Amino acid sequence: MEHPNPSQKQMHTILFASPKQGGIVQSSGFLDLRSLMALSQTCKAHALDELSLILLIENEMTRNHKCHTMEEAIAFWRMVCEYDDYQFYYLLKEWLQRDTTATDAEPIVATVAMLLDAITLGCDVMLGKMLRTIPQSQHLPMMRELEAEGHFLLHCAANSGNVESLKIILSLYPESEWLRVANERDNSRGRSALHCAAESGNLHCIRTLLDLYPESERFQAVLVTSNLGETVLYCAAKSGIVECFQFILSLYPESGWLQVVSTEDKFNRTAESSNLDMLKFILSSRPASQRLRVLSMKDREGRSALHHAAIAGDIGCLKTMIAFYTESERLQALCLKDQTGRAVLHFLARSRKPESIEYILQLLPESECLKIESMQDNKGRTVLYHTAISDDHEIVNYIIDLLLG
């Protein structure tokens, strides 16, 4: 028989106290919000704390809440209860306020609108409870009816980035239909469930869906384009999550990597979104001989990644890319014009980021600074003109001082 550790304090089971104090009622998971609030009002010692609210969130909504403090838990509750997508107003609040204790109360039956709201907000626990109010025999017919109208709950779950919701929706179908449903296209943009998962930036959702495909078919699955010409890799780049982009890219053959980046403008999108981690990953994963080719690639408007970083006014992205150019190549890259005749400094002049302009000009000899500042776009507008439009007096004065020597 084990002897208790004398250094441990002896704990007594307390029925009515906060979970932090060892109360078993608030931490039991049997209390809904109304009951928990009523209990908290019986005595100051029973006052709600963050653990009580977080346990309620986990029992009623989702375990994927990322709440650690009282403020975060309250904010999460408000977000769910006040959620409004301009079609289904306060339906989740109605669900959360249902009476689960009264025996004579008419049980609430979840509607399709409620299911959609729960999925959109990533409330997988709530979704499971809602589905239990609908007879199991109606689950598949309900999904068929929604599909006929062009609505796919699987795509909504993938878009939410909640892998548990994704698994719950898949379980409503026979296993033989999982791949068919994943390949269906939504009405809005013609996306598959994989497009939605990639855009959510959740690697678990992407892996779960790809596991539905035979290994030999996975590469073809990520090549499928939406109505807007977006591939799964494009959606992963759009999410800004490096791990998702890296995982999807690993499915591509090494020989076709440069062509993939070039034809889909992923590198330029990365620069425009100021995703420094993604930018570094793309450049560092390429041989030195390919980096300048990637940097110099243009989109449909004739803009390189430097143009897009300048539009965003992101000095971190600018520094990362310029570091790959030699001194003799920098001026050429900075003077490169898009279809409107604007170069990097034209866009920086409108960004209200004087430190970015100063950084660029300090890289160049003084004679070249004057040359690049006097460049005109297709409408004859100089860098100083674009600076004046930005109404940033600090930048205007800085450039005027340089021009005056």
Side-chain angles (χ1 to χ4, degrees):
M1 177 178 178
E2 293 186 4
H3 296 283
N5 189 337
S7 64
Q8 291 180 338
K9 295 177 65 176
Q10 187 174 359
M11 298 296 293
H12 299 282
T13 301
I14 301 173
L15 188 61
F16 297 105
S18 69
K20 279 187 174 181
Q21 299 171 349
I24 63 173
V25 174
Q26 279 135 303
S27 60
S28 65
F30 295 113
L31 299 183
D32 57 19
L33 180 60
R34 184 177 302 175
S35 302
L36 189 59
M37 293 297 290
L39 178 60
S40 72
Q41 294 170 2
T42 60
C43 177
K44 187 176 181 180
H46 306 153
L48 287 176
D49 58 20
E50 64 270 17
L51 187 53
S52 300
L53 281 178
I54 288 172
L55 285 169
L56 188 55
I57 288 172
E58 293 182 351
N59 289 320
E60 283 291 332
M61 300 180 191
T62 179
R63 293 177 179 85
N64 186 31
H65 49 72
K66 299 178 182 177
C67 297
H68 302 285
T69 66
M70 175 74 83
E71 291 73 20
E72 290 172 345
I74 291 174
F76 190 92
W77 268 98
R78 284 178 174 166
M79 182 269 293
V80 173
C81 291
E82 297 175 6
Y83 170 69
D84 174 18
D85 67 353
Y86 303 103
Q87 293 179 359
F88 312 124
Y89 192 66
Y90 287 162
L91 290 181
L92 297 187
K93 186 175 182 179
E94 177 186 341
W95 169 264
L96 290 168
Q97 289 181 337
R98 71 196 187 283
D99 193 345
T100 59
T101 58
T103 55
D104 57 343
E106 185 175 346
I108 185 171
V109 177
T111 63
V112 170
M114 287 181 176
L115 294 175
L116 283 169
D117 276 7
I119 293 171
T120 301
L121 288 176
C123 293
D124 52 288
V125 173
M126 182 186 293
L127 174 63
K129 289 189 174 186
M130 285 180 173
L131 285 170
R132 286 196 287 274
T133 69
I134 303 172
Q136 192 169 1
S137 59
Q138 295 180 21
H139 287 176
L140 192 57
M142 176 182 66
M143 303 303 283
R144 297 260 192 267
E145 185 177 343
L146 285 169
E147 285 182 21
E149 298 171 358
H151 301 299
F152 299 94
L153 296 190
L154 185 68
H155 295 56
C156 294
N159 204 57
S160 75
N162 187 305
V163 70
E164 296 305 322
S165 295
L166 193 71
K167 292 175 180 178
I168 289 172
I169 298 302
L170 279 173
S171 70
L172 302 180
Y173 290 93
E175 188 173 348
S176 59
E177 292 192 36
W178 287 357
L179 194 55
R180 175 194 67 78
V181 180
N183 281 324
E184 292 284 0
R185 306 298 193 88
D186 65 14
N187 271 354
S188 58
R189 287 156 52 189
R191 298 175 301 170
S192 69
L194 259 178
H195 286 97
C196 298
E199 197 163 316
S200 78
N202 187 287
L203 186 57
H204 296 298
C205 287
I206 296 173
R207 287 183 180 275
T208 298
L209 288 169
L210 274 176
D211 284 345
L212 301 179
Y213 296 83
E215 192 170 352
S216 59
E217 297 179 15
R218 290 173 187 172
F219 178 52
Q220 290 301 318
V222 300
L223 290 181
V224 173
T225 58
S226 69
N227 293 346
L228 301 178
E230 302 165 323
T231 65
V232 175
L233 185 62
Y234 183 92
C235 292
K238 195 174 177 182
S239 77
I241 305 300
V242 178
E243 291 77 11
C244 294
F245 183 82
Q246 186 175 4
F247 176 71
I248 299 297
L249 189 61
S250 69
L251 299 174
Y252 283 73
E254 179 70 20
S255 58
W257 186 93
L258 188 63
Q259 183 181 0
V260 167
V261 176
S262 175
T263 56
E264 300 184 31
D265 298 332
K266 294 179 183 58
F267 189 74
N268 290 343
R269 172 170 286 279
T270 299
E272 185 178 9
S273 65
S274 300
N275 191 322
L276 192 55
D277 290 336
M278 183 85 78
L279 195 72
K280 288 178 178 177
F281 164 72
I282 293 176
L283 289 173
S284 63
S285 62
R286 294 299 91 202
S289 59
Q290 292 186 4
R291 289 172 187 165
L292 286 183
R293 290 175 60 192
V294 173
L295 286 168
S296 60
M297 289 186 302
K298 297 181 180 180
D299 61 14
R300 296 180 184 87
E301 295 174 313
R303 294 172 183 168
S304 69
L306 277 175
H307 286 102
H308 286 283
I311 292 170
D314 191 289
I315 190 170
C317 287
L318 285 170
K319 285 183 176 180
T320 297
M321 289 186 286
I322 289 175
F324 287 99
Y325 289 96
T326 63
E327 288 188 20
S328 59
E329 293 167 332
R330 285 175 189 167
L331 182 61
Q332 182 180 354
L334 294 172
C335 290
L336 184 68
K337 294 183 177 182
D338 68 357
Q339 291 181 359
T340 67
R342 285 181 284 184
V344 170
L345 272 182
H346 289 98
F347 290 109
L348 281 178
R350 289 173 175 259
S351 70
R352 298 174 178 266
K353 299 288 181 65
E355 66 277 7
S356 298
I357 294 180
E358 186 175 357
Y359 168 73
I360 295 296
L361 295 178
Q362 284 177 349
L363 295 174
L364 305 172
E366 188 173 340
S367 58
E368 300 294 351
C369 288
L370 295 175
K371 177 182 176 181
I372 201 170
E373 287 169 1
S374 60
M375 277 195 311
Q376 298 180 355
D377 62 17
N378 292 350
K379 294 184 178 180
R381 297 168 177 174
T382 63
V383 172
L384 183 60
Y385 178 91
H386 286 279
T387 304
I389 289 179
S390 73
D391 199 27
D392 190 311
H393 300 295
E394 184 180 354
I395 300 179
V396 171
N397 291 334
Y398 176 74
I399 293 183
I400 289 176
D401 288 343
L402 283 173
L403 291 172
L404 294 177

